[in-house]
Amino acid sequence: MSHYYFYHGFLNKPFYLSQEFLTALAVIIALFTPWIVNWLNNRPKKSKLVFKDTSVVSQDNNPDSEEELVRLLKVGRLIIKNEGEFIAKSVEAYIDRIKFDDELRDDFFPIPLFWTHGQLNKTGPTIRDVYPNQTVYLDLFNYLYDPEYVGNSSVVFAVAAGQGVDNLWRMNLGESELFIKFYQESGQVEEVCVKAVWDGKNVPTVSIVK
């Protein structure tokens, strides 16, 4: 009787407990494990740059000066945080295009902007890494005391090229929309639109267009 129950139990054992199935499963796992590991290691590691706010800070180290010289008064900046799990590597920011009076300016072409704080391991102040949970600042414009202009002030974009070329670095009077693109080493691209309003005298107001 005991032999009968033994063989009956063996023949009715679930297939996934059989030696043949377990051996085949082990072979399949061994074959696919390197592929899975390679896929995990090479899958896109996306950062998540979030454009938090803008700020305008004073940079005038000599506010009581009576010299008739151009000097920096304030700097407008964009505040950015990487809320992703991966590093945003070698990020470069460009003013890609400018809309003025609801029309794209055809006298402007993409120009890089300066990061407020560069990195020693990078080639210059226009490129940097942004680590997970790190907040960084990007210079947008410089508000200048400039006796050459009405109101004794002018505003120039904080660009790394095109300085001295009015249509490339000077902010228009009135309302402008700056479309800023962020390029990463991985090929990931982000874009934000910043509205800037300047009355020709006071420091411009800047805000992120949602």
Side-chain angles (χ1 to χ4, degrees):
M1 181 68 72
S2 60
H3 290 291
Y4 170 78
Y5 284 113
F6 174 79
Y7 286 112
H8 181 76
F10 178 79
L11 292 174
N12 289 279
K13 183 168 62 175
F15 76 91
Y16 50 80
L17 295 180
S18 68
Q19 185 63 43
E20 292 80 3
F21 176 79
L22 294 176
T23 300
L25 182 61
V27 171
I28 292 172
I29 292 174
L31 289 173
F32 280 91
T33 295
W35 181 86
I36 294 172
V37 171
N38 183 67
W39 178 81
L40 290 173
N41 289 334
N42 292 284
R43 73 190 190 280
K45 297 178 174 61
K46 288 192 174 183
S47 61
K48 184 181 179 182
L49 297 182
V50 178
F51 308 105
K52 307 294 286 187
D53 203 354
T54 59
S55 70
V56 177
V57 295
S58 176
Q59 297 288 304
D60 190 2
N61 294 322
N62 194 10
D64 298 322
S65 174
E66 295 181 358
E67 295 183 17
E68 294 297 304
L69 298 175
V70 176
R71 69 178 189 274
L72 178 62
L73 299 180
K74 296 181 184 294
V75 176
R77 294 181 173 130
L78 181 64
I79 305 171
I80 306 159
K81 184 177 182 180
N82 182 2
E83 296 186 355
E85 298 179 357
F86 300 101
I87 298 174
K89 293 184 178 180
S90 300
V91 185
E92 295 184 65
Y94 282 71
I95 299 181
D96 185 70
R97 59 198 187 280
I98 297 176
K99 184 181 287 187
F100 178 65
D101 282 343
D102 292 325
E103 293 186 1
L104 287 176
R105 285 178 44 189
D106 57 10
D107 61 347
F108 185 87
F109 55 82
I111 295 183
L113 291 164
F114 287 113
W115 291 103
T116 303
H117 307 105
Q119 289 178 313
L120 294 177
N121 62 331
K122 296 300 179 182
T123 56
T126 63
I127 183 170
R128 69 160 299 145
D129 297 335
V130 185
Y131 300 105
N133 296 313
Q134 184 180 26
T135 297
V136 296
Y137 294 79
L138 179 73
D139 289 358
L140 296 178
F141 68 83
N142 298 320
Y143 175 67
L144 308 173
Y145 171 79
D146 193 340
E148 181 181 340
Y149 289 86
V150 176
N152 292 330
S153 63
S154 64
V155 181
V156 297
F157 297 120
V159 292
Q163 294 97 333
V165 182
D166 283 356
N167 61 297
L168 296 180
W169 81 321
R170 291 202 181 277
M171 183 181 292
N172 293 100
L173 285 170
E175 181 177 308
S176 298
E177 288 185 344
L178 316 178
F179 295 87
I180 303 170
K181 282 192 173 181
F182 295 80
Y183 298 91
Q184 300 181 34
E185 183 181 282
S186 65
Q188 186 175 337
V189 180
E190 312 280 356
E191 183 177 86
V192 65
C193 179
V194 175
K195 182 170 70 174
V197 181
W198 187 42
D199 63 6
K201 181 179 180 181
N202 299 297
V203 63
T205 60
V206 285
S207 59
I208 297 172
V209 178
K210 300 297 184 181

